[in-house]
Amino acid sequence: MSSSPNTNDRAAFSKWLPWILLLILIAAFIWLFMSMKTPSEATWEPPRTTAAEKQASAPAADTPAPISSYHNAVARASQSVVNIYTTQTMAEHPYMDDPVLRRFFEFHSDGPQGQGPTNLGSGVIVSEDGYIVTNAHVIEKADEITVAFNDGRKSRAKIIGTDPDSDLAVIKVDMTGLTPLGFREAPSRVGDLALAIGNPFGVGQTVTQGIISATNRTGLGVNKFEDFIQTDAAINPGNSGGALVDARGELVGINTVIFSRSGGSMGIGFAIPTALVEQVMNALIKDGRVSRGWLGIEIQSQLRDPTRLETSTGVEVLNVIDKGPAAKSGLKVGDIILTIDGVEMTDANKLIQYVARKPPTTELNAQILRNGKNKQIKIMLEERPAQEVVEPPTIIHDESLGGQPSYHGEGQDEAVMSEEERIRMREELLKLFENDASIQ
C-alpha cells in the first residue's frame, strides 16, 4: 500500500521543523542581546548636516568664478581714500619771556615755537568737487588740515561741519574731477568680507582684510549716537576716518575706534555704517549741522537678570522734561515704552538711535505699558536742543583693564610753577649751562 502525497509532505515538514524553530530561536536570541546593550557599548556618531542644510549655508561668491584676489576692488576704492594730516598752533609758554627758561624750552621742543604736533588720520572722498568724510576727532582743534591723495597730490582743506555726537565730519578741498567712493546699498551682514583702507601709524595707505563680526553695536560709550559695525579687519591709529569696503570695493562704513590692550589692533574694531554716514554727511553739507528728533525724556532699559529664563523688554521712563514733546503727548514717569511705530524697543540705546534718526516734526506711534495695561500714544518730535559742549575723553589702554578702555577727560589746566619753583629752576639751569660751557 503506497503512501499519499499529503503524508510525504507532512513527513518532510516534520523533518525540517526543528531546524526552522532553531533558526527562529537563534534570531530571537541575537535580537534580544543587541537590544540589551548598554549605551556605553553603542558606537557614538556626531550629528550630521543634511544636504538641505549644507545647501542653505553654502557661502555665496561675489562672482561665479572663485575669487583669488581683491585687487580690482582695492584699486577702485583706494583712489577715493585720502590721508589727513592736521596741525594745531600752540600758545606760547608763559615762561618764554625769561631768556634762561626760553633757552631750555627751545632746546627741548620738537619743532618751531608755537607749532603743535602733527596728527594723522584718513578720509573718504564722497563727491567729485572735493567733499571728504572723516571722523570728527581726526580734525578736532585743527588749525591746518592737509589732505594727501592716492596719486601723490596734496591740498589744504577747510571744515564744512562736524558732528561730535556721531564722530563724523565733512571737509572740502578746492579740487574737481575727484573719484568718489560708492556707498553700498544693501545692509551689511555678519560674515561678509570687509577690507579696511587707511593710513595706520602714518606708514602710508594700507589695506587689511577681515569679516563683519557684528552689526548694530551700541552702548560702547564712545559716541552719543552709536550704531557700529564690528570687524576683525586690522584697524590701527591713523585708520580713523578711513574706509571699510566690501569685496566689490563699495563703502560699508567709516572706521572709527578700536578696543585694545596695547593700543594696536586686536581684532575688535568698529566702523560707522553708511546709513548713518549718509544722514550726517548730507545734513552737514546742506546746513553745516545735524538736526535730530527729540522726545524730551530720561530713560533706562528694563533691568535684566541673565540667569532668568524669561525676558523683559521695553524702556522705562525715568523723567519727562517739562513742556517737551513727551510731556505734551501725555507720557508719564514710570511708563514703559514697548514699541515705536511697531519696532520693539529692546533697550534704551535702540530707542535713542531710532529717535535720533527721525527729523523733527515726525509723529511717532508709541505703545506703552502703564499700570499693567497697554496704551497707544502719539508723540510729535521736536528738534533736539543744543547740548553742552564737553571735552571728549582720551582712551587710555591698560593691560589691567582686560581690553576695556579707561576714559580720562582732556582739557585739564597745565600745571603752573610757583614763583619759588621758577626761581629755583632758573638757578639750576644757570649752573647747568655754566658747567656745559666749562666742559666745552
Side-chain angles (χ1 to χ4, degrees), residues 231-265:
T231 179
D232 65 345
I235 298 175
N236 288 289
N239 273 111
S240 293
L244 187 70
V245 303
D246 62 11
R248 295 186 178 91
E250 295 180 325
L251 184 67
V252 170
I254 298 295
N255 300 322
T256 299
V257 70
I258 60 174
F259 268 15
S260 173
R261 293 183 177 180
S262 61
S265 175

Side-chain angles (χ1 to χ4, degrees), residues 54-94:
K54 289 181 179 180
Q55 182 65 26
S57 61
D62 290 336
T63 60
I67 298 175
S68 59
S69 173
Y70 297 101
H71 170 77
N72 293 337
V74 171
R76 183 165 53 253
S78 60
Q79 61 185 331
S80 303
V81 180
V82 300
N83 300 337
I84 297 177
Y85 303 90
T86 65
T87 55
Q88 180 183 358
T89 302
M90 308 296 291
E92 190 175 78
H93 199 280

